[in-house]
Amino acid sequence: MHNNALYYPSASRRMATFGKRGMVATSQPLAAQVGITILQQGGNAIDAAIATAAALTVVEPTSNGIGSDAFAIVWVDGKLHGLNASGPAPQAGHD
């Protein structure tokens, strides 16, 4: 077992990336920059994720939309929280 992050046993050469103060990864650089800006202004990872998702609806409208499924593992106030927000939305109070 290697503990060296730069050791790549397979030919794919997918690079490991590290961040000391935060990181945002998206399929679109402009959306990633929105999340980074939120972090730089003092927001947390949840704030950055929401802002990034909103930006993706503008820069990649055919691939993203507000109101989709969400999966997250987040460390907040010293506790690990898991979110599985998938599936249909509940119906409003209409019969």
Side-chain angles (χ1 to χ4, degrees), residues 14-78:
R14 180 167 273 183
M15 302 302 285
T17 306
F18 300 92
K20 290 184 178 182
R21 300 185 65 208
M23 183 181 297
V24 176
T26 71
S27 57
Q28 220 292 334
L30 292 173
Q33 187 58 54
V34 169
I36 291 169
T37 300
I38 294 298
L39 292 175
Q40 289 172 335
Q41 292 177 353
N44 61 30
I46 298 168
D47 299 328
I50 293 168
T52 300
L56 280 168
T57 66
V58 175
V59 297
E60 283 188 350
T62 58
S63 300
N64 298 280
I66 296 292
S68 186
D69 294 343
F71 305 95
I73 298 175
V74 183
W75 185 267
V76 179
D77 296 329

